[in-house]
Amino acid sequence: MAAGTQRSASRTRSGVVLSLGLGVLALVVSVSVAVSLGAVHVPAGAVWGILGNRLAPGLIDPFWSKGHTAIVWDIRFPRALLAALVGAGLALVGASLQAVTRNPLADPHLLGISAGGAFGAILALLHTGLFLGLLTVPLLAFAGALGATALVLAVTRLAAATSADRLVLAGVATSFIIMAAANLLIFLGDPRATHTVVFWMLGGLGLAQWGHLIYPLAILLPCGAWLMAHARDLNAMTIGDETAATLGLPVARFRLQVFVLGALITGVMVAFSGMIGFVGLMVPHIARRLTGGDYTRLLPASALIGGIFLLWADIAARRIMAPEDMPIGIITGLTGGIFFVVLLRRKP
């Protein structure tokens, strides 16, 4: 019996490793396609040759032009990596919120966290200025996202909205209030800058730069590692507060920690990509179909699928109206809206 159990566990681990390996391969292929496609097509061989020469100068004799080098290295690689980071971060936040709220519709966009991040970023871009340098926008975006989270929790308590559906309604109501305040900031801001801010609010990755990537990466790695280290606690939260408490988990403190980390990740991602909705709603459900409900597998799968999804959404945004870039938020909003309707139609 013990030997059979060990063999079963070994096969399970092998399956998980194989699935993650295939996911990483799909992510690499998606990055390659995203960097290769555009108004100027760059062959995949040239893409990876340019990358190889940047990492190890002189590794490959160049068979591409200097123009291709500039396009690939200065524009498309940072954009593709930002898409992967933002998609992974939003998916992790969505999966974690769905666990601690026990609500399959929980998502940083629907709960107003993204709106809070947008409010903070707009405040920095139009009114306070970059008084802390590049850190100003992500810090104020985090503060806005954290404030929105606190406001949602306060509204939930004030309205005694204890059910999962009411929590989403509280989040949606809070999101409307915060976006009204954000629109007021835009109205009161410099008219010459508002066009850029409005386009940014629709979601876009076109301003990605190598120097900016350190901020989302520095937040995603430790926060994602913390969430994955507490995957078993997230499993317990999905069963119920009482069960989690009997297992020794400090439920209220853990839920608050997840909300704060979710606000931090969302705020920083929003600061560099604008408002990109529904990734945190859709991706965890897709991951559950593939891996099951165990968060030790669900979290890494969600991160990979989120990065891959946003890469392909960005590819679509660049190709549909080429050579113009469609805001990526339009693609994710359309896809997410349809997915949301399908999710609502499913029987509980």
Side-chain angles (χ1 to χ4, degrees):
M1 179 70 70
T5 302
Q6 289 178 352
R7 284 195 296 270
S8 177
S10 178
R11 285 196 297 268
T12 300
R13 285 193 296 269
S14 298
V16 171
V17 171
L18 177 61
S19 299
L20 290 177
L22 291 175
V24 171
L25 179 61
L27 180 64
V28 171
V29 171
S30 299
V31 169
S32 179
V33 174
V35 176
S36 177
L37 293 179
V40 177
H41 176 72
V42 181
V47 168
W48 294 108
I50 292 169
L51 177 62
N53 270 5
R54 283 286 178 170
L55 298 178
L59 179 66
I60 302 172
D61 290 332
F63 56 88
W64 53 83
S65 67
K66 291 183 178 179
H68 282 174
T69 301
I71 290 171
V72 168
W73 186 252
D74 296 331
I75 300 174
R76 293 187 187 169
F77 253 121
R79 179 171 182 149
L81 294 178
L82 180 61
L85 290 172
V86 171
L90 294 179
L92 281 175
V93 173
S96 303
L97 291 178
Q98 289 169 15
V100 296
T101 62
R102 295 190 304 282
N103 187 339
L105 302 181
D107 161 78
H109 192 69
L110 288 177
L111 292 181
I113 301 175
S114 293
F119 177 87
I122 292 168
L123 183 65
L125 292 170
L126 290 182
H127 295 279
T128 68
L130 303 182
F131 59 92
L132 295 175
L134 283 177
L135 282 174
T136 308
V137 177
L139 282 177
L140 288 187
F142 166 58
L146 191 60
T149 302
L151 187 57
V152 170
L153 295 177
V155 169
T156 301
R157 290 192 177 187
L158 180 66
T162 55
S163 69
D165 293 340
R166 284 182 169 269
L167 177 62
V168 172
L169 290 176
V172 171
T174 303
S175 180
F176 278 126
I177 295 170
I178 295 173
M179 286 311 301
N183 289 333
L184 179 62
L185 289 180
I186 294 174
F187 177 74
L188 296 175
D190 185 350
R192 293 170 296 180
T194 54
H195 178 269
T196 302
V197 172
V198 169
F199 187 84
W200 169 85
M201 286 181 64
L202 296 175
L205 305 167
L207 299 179
Q209 300 177 27
W210 284 109
H212 295 173
L213 294 181
I214 185 62
Y215 300 106
L217 183 64
I219 293 300
L220 182 59
L221 287 180
C223 292
W226 188 92
L227 290 172
M228 291 182 187
H230 290 79
R232 295 188 183 279
D233 295 335
L234 291 171
N235 283 337
M237 292 293 292
T238 61
I239 302 173
D241 288 3
E242 296 81 4
T243 303
T246 59
L247 295 174
L249 180 65
V251 173
R253 188 177 70 185
F254 180 70
R255 181 180 286 116
L256 180 62
Q257 289 172 334
V258 172
F259 268 109
V260 171
L261 284 182
L264 178 58
I265 295 173
T266 302
V268 173
M269 298 307 169
V270 165
F272 290 99
S273 68
M275 291 186 65
I276 298 177
F278 293 109
V279 175
L281 172 67
M282 292 186 293
V283 171
H285 287 280
I286 297 170
R288 283 189 189 91
R289 292 279 184 171
L290 299 175
T291 66
D294 186 351
Y295 270 77
T296 57
R297 297 192 299 269
L298 180 63
L299 287 177
S302 295
L304 283 171
I305 297 171
I308 293 168
F309 169 76
L310 205 59
L311 278 165
W312 284 97
D314 186 48
I315 291 170
R318 289 188 286 126
R319 299 292 291 176
I320 289 175
M321 297 180 63
E324 295 292 330
D325 279 5
M326 178 186 291
I328 195 173
I330 295 175
I331 303 296
T332 60
L334 178 62
T335 308
I338 295 172
F339 186 89
F340 191 78
V341 172
V342 172
L343 193 63
L344 289 174
R345 284 180 55 86
R346 288 179 54 191
K347 293 181 180 180

